[in-house]
Amino acid sequence: MKRLALTAGVILLAAPLATAQISTWKSDPAHSRIAFTIRHLGVADVHGHIGDVKATIQYDAVDVTRSKVAATIGMNTVSTGESGRDNEIRSADFFDVGHFPKATFISSQVAKKGDGLWVRGNLTLHGITREVVLNVRGPDKPVMGADGKPHSGFSATTTIDRTTFDIGTTFPAAIVGDPVKLSISLDIVKQ
């Protein structure tokens, strides 16, 4: 009976230590963005970025499978460096930012993969939710920022099919490629 009581006591004392391994990090909006690449007319790549990325990461350094990611992306910040094209991308023909100003990503599974991570989650874009998998590098070794807080970083890549989100469906793949390569860069700050 004493052994059972001792074991229960150790478990109760260890429980707060296990949860203490989870730290909360938020993206630094000035240094976080999503870059994208899509094929135009089958002959050239168009590059652009989305600058309004707000992410919260619950990171467990001991057991990454307990980590979680939630992000909101402001679609009205999409930019390719060409104002006419940017206006068209924001229009109802593509992102329809008037009706769908935000995209979201909520992780459902995080796993270790080599030196990085593999994050599965639900991306809601243009009012449609699809599962995507991110190949993640990071976290980088934390450094102290000018704000006096630890900063770290993650970068991730994935490819989505624009037509599965009903984006630009009146444009055939010969004009606007279906696959869109995404490259995500996050400067994150410990809270």
Side-chain angles (χ1 to χ4, degrees):
M1 190 67 165
K2 284 184 182 181
R3 182 177 282 170
L4 180 60
L6 181 61
T7 302
V10 169
I11 290 172
L12 287 173
L13 289 173
L17 294 175
T19 58
Q21 300 302 320
I22 297 176
S23 55
T24 300
W25 299 74
K26 291 195 181 239
S27 60
D28 175 354
H31 299 102
S32 299
R33 66 191 226 162
I34 299 171
F36 62 86
T37 303
I38 189 166
R39 202 80 171 140
H40 177 250
L41 296 176
V43 297
D45 288 338
V46 172
H47 303 279
H49 70 275
I50 303 165
D52 182 14
V53 181
K54 295 179 178 87
T56 300
I57 299 167
Q58 300 288 323
Y59 184 69
D60 188 328
V62 175
D63 181 3
V64 295
T65 64
R66 294 177 17 158
S67 300
K68 296 178 182 177
V69 179
T72 302
I73 303 111
M75 298 308 296
N76 59 344
T77 63
V78 66
S79 174
T80 63
E82 207 289 311
S83 62
R85 180 173 47 221
D86 294 346
N87 290 334
E88 185 175 19
I89 291 171
R90 292 182 193 125
S91 78
D93 288 338
F94 288 93
F95 289 128
D96 195 4
V97 299
H99 288 102
F100 307 105
K102 303 281 183 193
T104 60
F105 176 81
I106 306 292
S107 66
S108 57
Q109 183 180 15
V110 178
K112 189 83 173 141
K113 181 181 178 188
D115 291 341
L117 302 171
W118 176 88
V119 179
R120 178 185 302 271
N122 291 315
L123 174 64
T124 301
L125 176 62
H126 198 238
I128 296 171
T129 302
R130 298 282 184 253
E131 186 175 78
V132 299
V133 174
L134 305 175
N135 291 304
V136 180
R137 183 187 60 78
D140 295 324
K141 184 178 178 182
V143 297
M144 197 59 64
D147 56 4
K149 296 180 179 180
H151 285 240
S152 185
F154 284 98
S155 60
T157 58
T158 193
T159 300
I160 62 171
D161 183 328
R162 69 176 172 89
T163 62
T164 63
F165 292 95
D166 285 343
I167 295 172
T169 54
T170 60
F171 297 87
I175 295 174
V176 179
D178 289 342
V180 181
K181 296 175 186 174
L182 301 177
S183 179
I184 303 152
S185 297
L186 295 179
D187 176 334
I188 57 173
V189 183
K190 191 171 186 179
Q191 302 301 295

